[in-house]
Amino acid sequence: MTHLKFIAALAACLSGQALAAPTATSNLNKRQGADTAFGFASLNGGTTGGAGGTTTTVSSYAEFTEAASSDDAKVIVVSGAITETADQVHVGSNTSILGANADAVLDGFGLLVKEKENVIIRNLGVRNVLADNGDAIGVQYANNVWIDHCDVSSNRDHDKDYYDGLIDLTHAADFITVSNTYIHDHWKASLVGHSDNNGDEDTGHLRVTYANNYWSNINSRGPSFRFGTGHVYNSYYENVSDVINTRQGAQLLVEGNVFSGCKKPLYATDEGYAVARDNDFGDGENTAPEGTLTSVEYEYDLIDAAGVKAAVVGTAGQTLTF
């Protein structure tokens, strides 16, 4: 198969199948390879990204910035590593950003979905984004975003503010799913709701699913969740100090996760709440007050905590094959 034919086939596989309605599957391993957005990203009309649009392959920061800017339906395939210490690439609506393979890495710059909708980011590595240049992946004032099979990281060789967040969802972002992603080697990983003083804007929004993710060597924010509604399930946490923090009235449903070497696996500050089921907290404990979120509006597949490590480690991250 020629390179161009491969790229066309990849784009068709990843974006075309996203037109299908989300359906339940029999186990987490099948869900790991799902090509349709699930979780909160499946609500509010669903998330199909650039399905049916044009396909462009990019291999430089300039090409990427130009390709991503419009709101027309489009599939952007990232080929190889792009290294540039620069501001985030602004992503338009109706966009699928797909890493061609595990070599597709953005090194030194990230992505920002701001005041847009219907975006898919899959099979992409993002690393070493300096704080002055923003988050690795940021979502603000935007809805229906699916982040899947990504690998986001930096290092902990500097102080905690040298880098910003890996995946930060703020300013009333809504209907978002972060799934099958390897989140590792960082100080402050994932923030939902940026400020204690932003309740007027954030309340009623910030509906986020975290599913089947592998978190490793993180200091905090796995995630830290203000005001909104969160569902965290079937994820594996390894050597994360302060893990899931529910705060400022957030309501979380935390199910079937495993915590290994984690000091504070689930805790609350400033009147956050959680319902916890079938989690293995390891040597830590759940200290969050009991919440009211006992169910969500979408179908999902849940496996027992005993099977989570085997199902997640080695499959989360840039592991898609086409």
Side-chain angles (χ1 to χ4, degrees):
M1 181 181 290
T2 68
H3 177 70
L4 291 177
K5 287 182 179 178
F6 168 77
I7 293 299
L10 172 63
C13 177
L14 282 178
S15 63
Q17 289 185 21
L19 291 171
T23 56
T25 56
S26 61
N27 55 48
L28 180 142
N29 289 322
K30 290 184 179 180
R31 180 63 83 194
Q32 288 271 9
D35 286 314
T36 301
F38 58 98
F40 277 114
S42 69
L43 304 182
N44 192 43
T47 303
T48 59
T54 59
T55 299
T56 303
T57 302
V58 300
S59 56
S60 72
Y61 178 79
E63 290 174 344
F64 198 171
T65 300
E66 181 178 0
S69 60
S70 80
D71 293 331
D72 297 333
K74 58 194 172 297
V75 177
I76 301 170
V77 179
V78 179
S79 178
I82 304 175
T83 301
E84 190 84 25
T85 302
D87 292 336
Q88 295 165 301
V89 170
H90 287 244
V91 180
S93 297
N94 309 310
T95 301
S96 293
I97 298 172
L98 315 173
N101 51 44
D103 294 328
V105 175
L106 312 182
D107 193 336
F109 70 97
L111 304 175
L112 178 61
V113 184
K114 184 175 181 179
E115 298 177 341
K116 302 297 180 179
E117 62 184 2
N118 192 30
V119 172
I120 294 173
I121 303 167
R122 300 192 78 194
N123 208 46
L124 190 68
V126 188
R127 65 191 184 200
N128 301 327
V129 182
L130 299 178
D132 288 346
N133 294 325
D135 303 311
I137 301 175
V139 182
Q140 303 176 5
Y141 304 107
N143 62 271
N144 289 90
V145 178
W146 182 29
I147 301 165
D148 179 66
H149 278 285
C150 290
D151 183 325
V152 288
S153 68
S154 63
N155 57 69
R156 295 176 62 177
D157 299 335
H158 309 277
D159 68 79
K160 63 184 179 64
D161 295 318
Y162 189 79
Y163 303 106
D164 208 337
L166 292 178
I167 301 175
D168 281 8
L169 315 170
T170 62
H171 291 289
D174 217 351
F175 300 106
I176 299 169
T177 297
V178 180
S179 57
N180 309 312
T181 290
Y182 184 27
I183 304 165
H184 61 105
D185 297 292
H186 196 76
W187 283 99
K188 300 179 291 185
S190 188
L191 182 65
V192 181
H194 73 289
S195 169
D196 290 349
N197 300 317
N198 207 51
D200 289 347
E201 180 177 69
D202 287 340
T203 301
H205 303 285
L206 299 177
R207 283 165 279 204
V208 184
T209 301
Y210 288 86
N212 317 332
N213 299 305
Y214 176 23
W215 308 68
S216 179
N217 192 29
I218 300 291
N219 182 67
S220 63
R221 300 182 182 175
S224 177
F225 212 115
R226 291 181 174 95
F227 300 113
T229 302
H231 187 199
V232 184
Y233 70 92
N234 283 157
S235 294
Y236 185 71
Y237 294 88
E238 178 182 60
N239 299 326
V240 181
S241 181
D242 298 350
V243 192
I244 302 173
N245 178 204
T246 176
R247 55 201 296 193
Q248 296 295 326
Q251 294 282 349
L252 305 186
L253 177 58
V254 180
E255 300 183 284
N257 303 285
V258 176
F259 303 83
S260 176
C262 299
K263 180 180 177 182
K264 296 163 65 176
L266 175 57
Y267 67 104
T269 53
D270 303 314
E271 297 184 344
Y273 304 92
V275 171
R277 299 174 180 152
D278 186 38
N279 298 283
D280 180 353
F281 291 116
D283 294 331
E285 61 179 330
N286 168 26
T287 60
E290 185 78 7
T292 60
L293 184 66
T294 59
S295 64
V296 288
E297 301 170 66
Y298 51 81
E299 294 183 335
Y300 61 103
D301 301 305
L302 190 68
I303 65 171
D304 292 338
V308 166
K309 182 178 181 180
V312 171
V313 177
T315 53
Q318 290 177 270
T319 58
L320 298 177
T321 303
F322 304 96

